[in-house]
Every structure is written in C-alpha cells, then in structure tokens.
Amino acid sequence: MIIVSIMPYIAISIILGMIIRFSEHKNIINNICFKLMNHCKLEYNEIYVYVSTYVYWFLMIIFALLISLLQKQNILLYLHIDRKYIVYIFINIFAIISSFEIIMSILSLFNKNIKTNAVFNNILLVPSIDMLYSSRSNPKWLLIIFASIIKCLFFNGVIYLAIRNKLGDYNIFFTILIVSMLFSLEEIFRVTSIKQAIIFIIACSTVIIINSLTFEYSGSLIPSVFANIFFTMYYFGQFENMRY
C-alpha cells in the first residue's frame, strides 16, 4: 500500500514540524538560551533564533543522511548543471514567484482578506518567522538563505528522490503531489490560523511542483536552490518594505 511506503516520510515531516512548535513553547530551549546569555553579549531573542534554527537544521541533516544511506542516494550528484540548462535558473525563479502571486491574486477576488498586505501580515504572525524577522542580528539574512538551501535540498532533493524511488510505478505528478503534501504538513505546524495554513500550503505546493518539474527536466537541483533563495528573500524583502 502507498500509505505504508510513505509512512516513514510522513513521520519525519511531523517530527520536524513538532520541533518547530516545541522550540516555541518549551522550557528546554529557554534554559539553553539563558545559559548561553551568561557567556555572550547577545540578547535572548537573538540567541533563541540561533538555538532553535540550529536544532531544526541538525535534525533535518540527520534525517537526510539516514534516508540517503537507506535509499543509497547522493544528492551531491545533482548539484551541478549543464550549460544548456543554466537559463532554467532564471525561469524557475520567475515561475515560482509569479505563480504564487497569481494564485494569491485570484483568491483575493473571492476573499478580500487575502490581499498582499494581509498575506504578509499573516505570515509575520507565525511565531517562528516573526522571531527570525524581528532579530536585530546581522547574520539573520544568512540564516534565511541557508534555511532556504537546506529545505530545498531536503524536500526537493532527498525526500523527492526517495519518494520517486518508492513510487516508481506511479505517474511522476503523483510523486510531486505526495512531496508537496509532506512539505506542507511540516510547515503547517508553524501556523496559528486557517488563513496562515492556506497561505503556507499554496506556497509549499507552488515551490515543490515547479522545482520538481525543473529538476526532472534539467537533472539538477541548482535551479531549485536559487529559486528557493530568491522566493524567500523576495518576501522577506516585502516585510522590510512594509516596516518602512
């Protein structure tokens, strides 16, 4: 059965999502932060961002290594791109940003609350994102970039290849749908409202679908990595503009 085949990956998505929620509320993270404050000049919020982010990345990397070993796959083989496919880096960036904008614009026709500013405000209400964005630490943009790269390599690389291997007899679009659901499931744990959930599901699905199609066509994860970085930076840039 399909559900049995993908159950380990569902569990991984849930665990990663729960880590995000765990880091927002539990005293363990707080205790670590307070202890670190005794040894550095950073404020609590800045230390919290580092600790929670690094714990999340560490678990994701561990899961990536385990899956890669069990599935005998190596995503490093896909971190190159043939010269003829370089143009897809730019096509992918444009496709993801414009597709998300078009979908949200269409939805705003039916629901006036789903407009550009409302979307940004709702995303900023997500605790983990608000904490990262509010950080006054200079490297926060580096954290944002690295987060985009790691998530892309994990979901569009490790998870996608593993699911494709498991569901080899099925249509490639079915595989893409499953990976989209897994990415959305992991991100859903961040949200605090249905509106935020809708925004995240649309964003995750858009990213996974377009990145996966480009990956299948070019045989490279490079366009996906750049698209994730620019997609994230574009919207965090919008938050910056809103503040001013």
Side-chain angles (χ1 to χ4, degrees):
M1 292 178 64
I2 296 175
I3 190 67
V4 175
S5 299
I6 65 173
M7 186 60 72
Y9 307 103
I10 295 175
I12 288 172
S13 294
I14 292 174
I15 291 171
L16 289 173
M18 289 178 67
I19 288 297
I20 297 172
R21 184 65 71 180
F22 174 89
S23 65
E24 291 171 3
H25 301 289
K26 298 299 180 180
N27 290 330
I28 294 175
I29 299 293
N30 289 335
N31 291 336
I32 294 173
C33 292
F34 287 131
K35 288 181 179 178
L36 289 175
M37 287 178 67
N38 296 327
H39 305 284
C40 65
K41 297 180 180 180
L42 295 177
E43 295 181 359
Y44 170 82
N45 285 356
E46 296 176 81
I47 295 176
Y48 172 86
V49 168
Y50 289 126
V51 172
S52 58
T53 299
Y54 292 152
V55 169
Y56 176 67
W57 288 358
F58 176 76
L59 279 177
M60 188 171 283
I61 291 170
I62 292 297
F63 282 132
L65 291 174
L66 287 174
I67 294 171
S68 297
L69 288 172
L70 292 173
Q71 294 294 323
K72 297 180 181 180
Q73 65 185 33
N74 183 4
I75 63 167
L76 297 179
L77 298 175
Y78 303 97
L79 294 181
H80 76 282
I81 186 168
D82 291 340
R83 188 175 299 176
K84 63 180 178 180
Y85 293 124
I86 290 177
V87 67
Y88 282 89
I89 294 175
F90 306 100
I91 293 174
N92 215 40
I93 293 170
F94 175 78
I96 287 178
I97 294 176
S98 58
S99 295
F100 180 72
E101 289 283 344
I102 290 170
I103 294 171
M104 298 310 297
S105 296
I106 293 173
L107 289 178
S108 70
L109 296 176
F110 302 96
N111 188 337
K112 294 182 179 180
N113 292 323
I114 305 180
K115 290 187 179 294
T116 302
N117 286 344
V119 169
F120 295 147
N121 286 330
N122 271 276
I123 294 175
L124 284 175
L125 289 174
V126 176
S128 58
I129 292 179
D130 178 61
M131 185 72 80
L132 174 60
Y133 178 70
S134 300
S135 172
R136 291 180 293 176
S137 176
N138 290 328
K140 78 174 180 181
W141 293 104
L142 288 177
L143 291 179
I144 293 169
I145 292 172
F146 278 119
S148 301
I149 295 172
I150 292 172
K151 282 194 174 185
C152 178
L153 295 179
F154 186 73
F155 283 101
N156 266 114
V158 175
I159 294 292
Y160 179 78
L161 290 170
I163 297 294
R164 189 177 68 174
N165 182 51
K166 288 282 186 181
L167 306 179
D169 295 333
Y170 292 85
N171 188 287
I172 193 68
F173 291 103
F174 184 69
T175 299
I176 294 173
L177 174 63
I178 295 297
V179 179
S180 298
M181 292 172 61
L182 292 174
F183 189 21
S184 299
L185 177 63
E186 186 262 351
E187 292 291 313
I188 284 298
F189 283 89
R190 295 176 181 268
V191 307
T192 56
S193 70
I194 294 177
K195 189 181 294 184
Q196 290 171 10
I198 292 172
I199 294 169
F200 270 82
I201 289 171
I202 292 172
C204 291
S205 299
T206 301
V207 167
I208 291 295
I209 290 170
I210 295 176
N211 276 346
S212 298
L213 291 174
T214 304
F215 177 40
E216 286 292 334
Y217 187 79
S218 66
S220 172
L221 284 169
I222 297 298
S224 301
V225 169
F226 276 98
N228 267 39
I229 292 172
F230 277 87
F231 180 79
T232 307
M233 294 296 288
Y234 174 77
Y235 285 105
F236 269 91
Q238 295 294 323
F239 299 156
E240 196 78 13
N241 292 334
M242 285 179 61
R243 187 172 69 176
Y244 293 111

